[in-house]
Amino acid sequence: LPGTGEEIPVTTETGSGLLQLDGRCSVYESDNLIIYGEQNDRVIVLQNYTAQAFQQENPFFVFTDAYERVQYKVCAVVSGTATDLKDTIEQIDFAEQQDFDVWMQHIKEKSLYDTGITPEKGDRLMTVSLNDGTQEDTEMLIFGYAETHSHER
């Protein structure tokens, strides 16, 4: 997370205590990459996104793999029960414009605050889903869209 000095690894392995990329996602093909995490010391800094002031000071996060570095701008932060947010969390690809529009409207309505940013269909998106540690069934979702990317081969 630029500005925080924090780097949080992402893995495809379950039970690692790290952030985990959803196995249904393809880093280079999916419309929306979903990353899951459990509340722990490594990801605690992400809880700060519930405060709009933190988002304004840290408006983006970076996802880097072996081939590219992508900067995602935070466009919404949502908190609720995993049951209530299931449809929000599960969207990976959007076949139709209407599918994307309904999903984005749902996110904006549930967002803890208005960032003034609304991604468009075709933007590269990322959802970071965290069990927020306050209740067993409570999730916090951080949504971002790719603002910039560069190849680092």
Side-chain angles (χ1 to χ4, degrees), residues 75-116:
C75 59
V77 178
V78 174
S79 184
T81 67
T83 304
D84 290 342
L85 298 176
K86 183 173 178 23
D87 291 338
T88 307
I89 297 171
E90 297 296 318
Q91 296 293 325
I92 293 174
D93 292 305
F94 306 96
E96 303 293 330
Q97 180 71 44
Q98 182 178 355
D99 298 335
F100 177 81
D101 292 343
V102 168
W103 180 75
M104 185 53 58
Q105 180 180 349
H106 179 73
I107 289 167
K108 297 304 257 181
E109 288 172 358
K110 289 191 173 286
S111 187
L112 298 176
Y113 48 83
D114 183 5
T115 62

Side-chain angles (χ1 to χ4, degrees), residues 112-132:
L112 298 176
Y113 48 83
D114 183 5
T115 62
I117 301 164
T118 303
E120 298 177 3
K121 184 176 181 327
D123 287 341
R124 291 175 72 178
L125 306 168
M126 181 175 286
T127 302
V128 179
S129 173
L130 300 171
N131 178 306
D132 77 359

Side-chain angles (χ1 to χ4, degrees), residues 39-69:
Q39 186 68 356
N40 63 45
D41 291 344
R42 304 253 359 218
V43 299
I44 193 82
V45 69
L46 295 173
Q47 278 297 112
N48 294 327
Y49 276 109
T50 58
Q52 188 171 15
F54 182 83
Q55 181 271 332
Q56 290 170 338
E57 292 172 14
N58 302 277
F60 61 90
F61 55 91
V62 175
F63 181 79
T64 304
D65 68 11
Y67 301 104
E68 66 181 354
R69 178 182 191 276

